[in-house]
Amino acid sequence: MKKEQLMELLNSMSLKEKVFQLVQIPGQYFLSGIADTGTKTDNSLTGEELALIGSTLGIYGLETTAEIQKRHMEEHPHHIPLLFMHDVVHGLRTAFPIPLALGAAFSPDLVKMCTSAAADESAASGLHVTFAPMLDLVRDPRWGRVMESFGEDPFLNAMLGRASVEGFRGGNGETPEKWRVASCIKHFAAYGAAEAGRDYTGADMSSRILRECYLPAYIEGVRAGADMVMSSFNAIDGVPATGNEKLLKETLRDAWNFDGVLISDWDSVGELVKRGVCSDLREAARLALNCGIDIDMCSFAYARHLEALVREGEVAKEQVDRAAFRVLELKNRLGLFEDPFRGATSTVERKKILSTANRALARKAVCECSVLLKNAGEQPLLPLASESKVAFTGPYVESKELHSAWAVSTDPEDTVSIREAAEELALSQGRSFIFAEGCTMTCREDLGPKSEERMVKYYREDTIPMQSVTTDVNMLKEAVAAAENADTVVVCLGEHRLMSGEGASRGELTLPKQQLELLKSLHSANKNIVSVIFTGRPLDLREVCELSRSVLLVWMPGTEGGNGILDLLIGAAEPGGRLSMSFPYCVGQVPVYYNHFNTGRPKPKNTKVPYYVSAYIDIPNSPLFPFGYGLSYTSFSVSGIKLSAEKTALQDSGSFGEIKAFASVKNTGLRRGQTLIQLYVSRPFAEALAPVKELKAFRKLALDPGEEKMIEFTIGNEELGHMGSDGKMHVVKGEYRIAIGLDSETEEWISLKIV
Ligand code: BGC
């Protein structure tokens, strides 16, 4: 439809019809017809109102969406199609590894391919918008939603945020426009900074940190053309984001020129009342719309009060017109006025869902995202020797729930478990494998003292399978016997998938107790232990590392988890991941992240810790595994770092041109392998503190054994600049330091003077 026609449509609509384009309700209203119960509570709708609704969420599957769409268009006075939105966070039916895992692949291409495949499946099943990517920077693994983020680095988050937006749009260039879905960047802004890692709390911070660390990924997502932005639950500067004029109007709309659809988070308009910034729902509707929130997700504030607010002159009619027009424009961009079903048929849907190509991509992604944390010894256990007799143990051996709490449209029946993949391999390669779970996923003891009481009060007993006794002796005995009879024990441990995700904050970051008990018992029977760790967040893995010769982190790997992990274990692929979020030494350290500020009292290196320095007296300052860390099946060295010039002049334009940085990278091991070379910059002291280091570039390099290559990076204004309070990038005069290495703790710094 042409813009003029769209405008004509808007002009022909009544105020009520426009208002209801701004109302989003859960899918159940369309599925169960609860709208017609007739009870007039704030959350009930009449049949007439239901027919006017602009968008819904949580419904997928072409049969259902098409039927609802058809009915809706017949009933709507102007036959305006409904928008179907859903949280497609890491795939629809084919679950790819979680976003935090994709962050570890350091690969915009991989992110683009996975989001593009997810868009393909989603569009075929009748969806139009995904509430993704979540571009919240994260530093605190207690927060359950770190699994939805790309990690702790502003530069990487921005790059992968762009890749996601492009991917959902069908970014590989092969996906026709109709198989795109609109993306919705969330949660604007700084939701990832939840205080003490507890969901839905405050996220207060300085405007400098907000600007330099948290905003860059959202900005990049907007620049990449995201169709929607979602406001967050938290407050910034004491003002909840959904009613924060400075954030939504001055920053998002005016400074960044975002003209797409701005949606609230679920009931976050209603929460303006609960948080005490609005006296009632009517006031909340007024504030949210005036701040630029176009769609009210599920609070019913707009449905109940917006019409009256306009009629009584408290909200300008033009505000409603503008918001409704944005919603109509989105429907138009998606082609819904021409074809409300966008060419999807049940045949197309069947072909696209869980296609061979999507499964192959998911399997490859598992390999690229998994991080080898430890592989010790002269003869490391991984990859497994083909003749070795392997016992597979742990609760994740049989589990088909390898996706996160967010993969709500995934069917575990489609998932390949470790046991299934291993059995297939045993058949095709004649390998010798034994299986014994050893324990279930969680137990009451995980909750510590007074567990009975706490479980009733706080735990999700109804959803997370829980063993009521500490250890099932028979299960344990069977696993220990298997370990005694094996050369190598692969123990598959981790958090249950519902232990991370929304509303799943944790105060402890260790594995469930009985899993650690299992590990200890296996270790007494056989020292050749490979631990495979499933998780949605960084964990305290000290004990796991002490008791294992090798540790492979596989996150929540998704539908092809079993196959991908077996590829890694036998060395058909190598773990390509490097941590995009630090793994703490223990929970007392968090938030712990590599790009923290410097201190006036640094801890002296290699000496006993004196008092009155910035250090703990009982634990190290450094995380157990730092940002950027990950091993290969071979080893690499980086040496001979040099610059094309050690000194350069800053021009009046604020630019210094370009400098090249070089380093020599060598494969010092016995296998061909790939590694990630990372370039960090440390800024000179200027008017305010700077992070001790910042990732500014990275590159993957594959080398044969003994092969050595020179790698080159270009350093320009983007790499050295930082965002000033004027929102512009600045390079300052002084001594910058540059490091090139294999993780963020690299010590190889050289100096670059800007004069
Ligand atoms: C979450 C959002 C999500 C929305 C819709 C909210 O509770 O915070 O991330 O997109 O629900 O499911």
Side-chain angles (χ1 to χ4, degrees):
M1 209 186 260
K2 291 209 178 84
K3 195 167 178 182
E4 305 81 69
Q5 289 171 293
L6 213 56
M7 201 46 111
E8 256 172 50
L9 172 63
L10 182 79
N11 291 338
S12 68
M13 289 164 73
S14 69
L15 177 61
K16 183 170 189 151
E17 287 162 3
K18 290 174 191 167
V19 164
F20 273 78
Q21 283 303 304
L22 312 182
V23 177
Q24 177 163 103
I25 55 172
Q28 288 88 326
Y29 279 73
F30 291 97
L31 294 171
S32 61
I34 50 177
D36 271 327
T37 56
T39 344
K40 197 78 184 160
T41 68
D42 273 355
N43 292 356
S44 70
L45 296 170
T46 62
E48 187 215 345
E49 285 171 333
L50 189 65
L52 298 182
I53 291 289
S55 62
T56 183
L57 79 164
I59 309 179
Y60 52 90
L62 190 64
E63 202 183 331
T64 319
T65 51
E67 197 218 303
I68 293 172
Q69 185 73 294
K70 195 164 162 277
R71 190 172 6 119
H72 188 77
M73 289 185 66
E74 278 164 15
E75 287 170 5
H76 192 282
H78 301 273
H79 313 295
I80 297 178
L82 193 61
L83 270 175
F84 289 91
M85 308 195 186
H86 188 45
D87 292 274
V88 184
V89 172
H90 58 114
L92 188 77
R93 270 290 283 278
T94 310
F96 298 99
I98 54 171
L100 190 59
L102 288 173
F106 280 75
S107 168
D109 286 348
L110 183 70
V111 168
K112 214 186 264 189
M113 284 191 281
C114 293
T115 45
S116 177
D120 215 33
E121 288 194 6
S122 303
S125 82
L127 287 170
H128 307 135
V129 177
T130 172
F131 295 127
M134 181 184 106
L135 296 183
D136 304 327
L137 186 102
V138 288
R139 292 174 162 177
D140 191 332
R142 291 172 297 181
W143 194 50
R145 301 195 76 168
V146 299
M147 53 129 311
E148 287 173 69
S149 166
F150 292 121
E152 72 188 32
D153 185 62
F155 169 71
L156 184 66
N157 279 13
M159 187 182 277
L160 300 185
R162 166 173 283 278
S164 315
V165 170
E166 290 177 354
F168 284 127
R169 202 167 48 218
N172 57 9
E174 289 155 23
T175 313
E177 183 71 358
K178 66 180 179 188
W179 301 124
R180 66 172 286 222
V181 289
S183 52
C184 175
I185 292 170
K186 66 188 189 185
H187 305 83
F188 193 66
Y191 178 43
E195 198 171 288
R198 216 172 65 239
D199 218 347
Y200 317 122
T201 57
D204 228 356
M205 65 182 70
S206 69
S207 55
R208 170 174 290 270
I209 295 280
L210 179 68
R211 194 174 65 235
E212 289 196 10
C213 304
Y214 286 82
L215 296 187
Y218 308 117
I219 298 183
E220 196 60 19
V222 167
R223 282 192 192 137
D227 300 88
M228 288 179 56
V229 171
M230 185 188 293
S231 68
S232 54
F233 287 124
N234 59 281
I236 303 266
D237 224 0
V239 185
T242 301
N244 192 322
E245 189 170 341
K246 188 160 180 247
L247 186 73
L248 303 182
K249 270 190 143 168
E250 283 177 33
T251 305
L252 181 67
R253 293 283 192 211
D254 300 343
W256 301 357
N257 294 322
F258 175 70
D259 199 29
V261 173
L262 180 54
I263 187 170
S264 75
D265 201 344
W266 187 297
D267 192 32
S268 68
V269 178
E271 288 186 13
L272 293 172
V273 181
K274 293 181 200 140
R275 302 202 74 180
V277 295
C278 292
S279 52
D280 53 25
L281 203 59
R282 176 189 162 103
E283 174 57 16
R286 192 192 61 76
L287 178 64
L289 192 86
N290 283 339
C291 286
I293 298 281
D294 299 314
I295 298 183
D296 166 18
M297 186 198 291
C298 304
S299 90
F300 293 85
Y302 285 8
R304 299 281 74 97
H305 301 292
L306 214 47
E307 238 187 300
L309 282 165
V310 175
R311 294 202 197 288
E312 286 153 33
E314 287 184 56
V315 164
K317 179 183 158 294
E318 294 70 32
Q319 280 281 94
V320 172
D321 282 358
R322 206 170 312 139
F325 193 66
R326 284 199 193 103
V327 175
L328 294 179
E329 267 187 322
L330 177 59
K331 294 182 177 185
N332 195 33
R333 273 203 303 282
L334 287 160
L336 295 182
F337 288 107
E338 279 73 36
D339 176 4
F341 310 102
R342 300 208 295 159
T345 62
S346 49
T347 319
V348 173
E349 187 186 27
R350 264 197 308 278
K351 210 174 115 209
K352 288 189 179 280
I353 298 280
L354 288 166
S355 67
T356 315
N358 286 1
R359 276 190 175 275
L361 175 62
R363 181 172 182 163
K364 175 174 171 277
V366 174
C367 302
E368 287 196 35
C369 296
S370 295
V371 185
L372 184 61
L373 295 175
K374 180 176 178 188
N375 203 18
E378 285 282 295
Q379 288 195 311
L381 292 177
L382 290 179
L384 298 169
S386 54
E387 65 289 352
S388 105
K389 188 172 171 189
V390 181
F392 281 92
T393 68
Y396 267 105
V397 166
E398 305 275 350
S399 176
K400 284 169 86 74
E401 294 199 24
L402 305 185
H403 51 281
S404 81
W406 270 119
V408 281
S409 347
T410 299
D411 183 346
E413 279 315 303
D414 302 326
T415 299
V416 182
S417 70
I418 297 237
R419 180 167 188 154
E420 286 164 343
E423 279 176 341
E424 199 182 314
L425 202 81
L427 271 182
S428 63
Q429 294 193 357
R431 290 192 181 232
S432 172
F433 296 146
I434 338 165
F435 304 92
E437 276 180 293
C439 68
T440 54
M441 204 75 84
T442 49
C443 76
R444 291 174 185 217
E445 280 234 333
D446 293 333
L447 303 168
K450 292 201 178 174
S451 64
E452 209 62 39
E453 201 183 301
R454 290 174 66 192
M455 186 163 68
V456 175
K457 261 190 169 164
Y458 307 121
Y459 222 53
R460 299 174 163 183
E461 193 185 10
D462 50 336
T463 45
I464 303 181
M466 189 159 340
Q467 196 171 281
S468 54
V469 288
T470 316
T471 303
D472 180 322
V473 181
N474 290 334
M475 278 178 101
L476 184 65
K477 266 192 190 155
E478 199 195 339
V480 171
E484 280 165 352
N485 284 319
D487 301 316
T488 308
V489 184
V490 173
V491 52
C492 304
L493 307 170
E495 284 191 322
H496 185 270
R497 68 186 192 91
L498 298 180
M499 289 168 83
S500 62
E502 184 171 353
S505 301
R506 286 188 66 195
E508 306 279 0
L509 295 175
T510 43
L511 285 180
K513 279 213 172 59
Q514 90 232 43
Q515 296 194 27
L516 286 172
E517 288 308 317
L518 170 68
L519 183 60
K520 280 183 205 152
S521 307
L522 294 170
H523 184 258
S524 341
N526 190 332
K527 301 283 179 279
N528 289 336
I529 303 242
V530 174
S531 286
V532 177
I533 304 297
F534 293 74
T535 181
R537 56 155 60 80
L539 293 170
D540 166 356
L541 292 177
R542 279 174 298 165
E543 223 170 341
V544 172
C545 290
E546 274 160 30
L547 297 171
S548 318
R549 278 186 55 193
S550 303
V551 180
L552 179 66
L553 173 70
V554 297
W555 310 104
M556 297 312 295
T559 310
E560 282 291 318
N563 282 331
I565 292 165
L566 261 293
D567 288 345
L568 293 169
L569 292 176
I570 65 163
E574 72 166 342
R578 303 293 182 266
L579 298 178
S580 64
M581 189 175 180
S582 307
F583 267 49
Y585 178 85
C586 65
V587 74
Q589 256 186 349
V590 300
V592 58
Y593 48 95
Y594 87 95
N595 43 2
H596 54 85
F597 282 153
N598 58 28
T599 162
R601 296 190 178 197
K603 184 181 153 220
K605 282 203 181 98
N606 309 324
T607 57
K608 276 195 174 171
V609 182
Y611 279 83
Y612 313 117
V613 295
S614 180
Y616 299 98
I617 57 169
D618 54 350
I619 56 166
N621 280 7
S622 310
L624 191 61
F625 296 111
F627 176 86
Y629 174 85
L631 303 171
S632 310
Y633 284 155
T634 182
S635 50
F636 291 91
S637 68
V638 177
S639 60
I641 303 168
K642 54 179 191 284
L643 298 173
S644 56
E646 282 163 14
K647 200 196 244 183
T648 183
L650 193 64
Q651 312 297 326
D652 291 342
S653 63
S655 164
F656 66 92
E658 271 180 10
I659 297 281
K660 301 275 182 210
F662 307 95
S664 173
V665 185
K666 186 171 181 186
N667 180 343
T668 51
L670 300 172
R671 285 170 61 106
R672 182 174 169 77
Q674 179 174 278
T675 191
L676 182 81
I677 320 293
Q678 304 156 40
L679 180 136
Y680 293 90
V681 169
S682 164
R683 279 190 242 149
F685 304 106
E687 82 289 357
L689 299 185
V692 286
K693 57 191 102 167
E694 294 166 275
L695 180 76
K696 290 295 176 180
F698 56 84
R699 185 148 332 134
K700 290 188 176 176
L701 188 65
L703 295 175
D704 287 322
E707 191 183 353
E708 188 163 9
K709 260 193 190 156
M710 192 66 104
I711 188 157
E712 180 185 310
F713 291 101
T714 302
I715 301 175
N717 271 38
E718 283 224 353
E719 283 68 30
L720 297 197
H722 67 278
M723 203 190 284
S725 47
D726 54 1
K728 296 193 179 125
M729 297 303 280
H730 295 278
V731 175
V732 293
K733 288 185 181 170
E735 184 182 350
Y736 284 82
R737 293 184 316 131
I738 314 287
I740 299 178
L742 299 173
D743 63 51
S744 60
E745 287 194 351
T746 176
E747 294 290 346
E748 305 295 314
W749 292 94
I750 48 168
S751 135
L752 168 60
K753 291 201 179 76
I754 305 285
V755 292

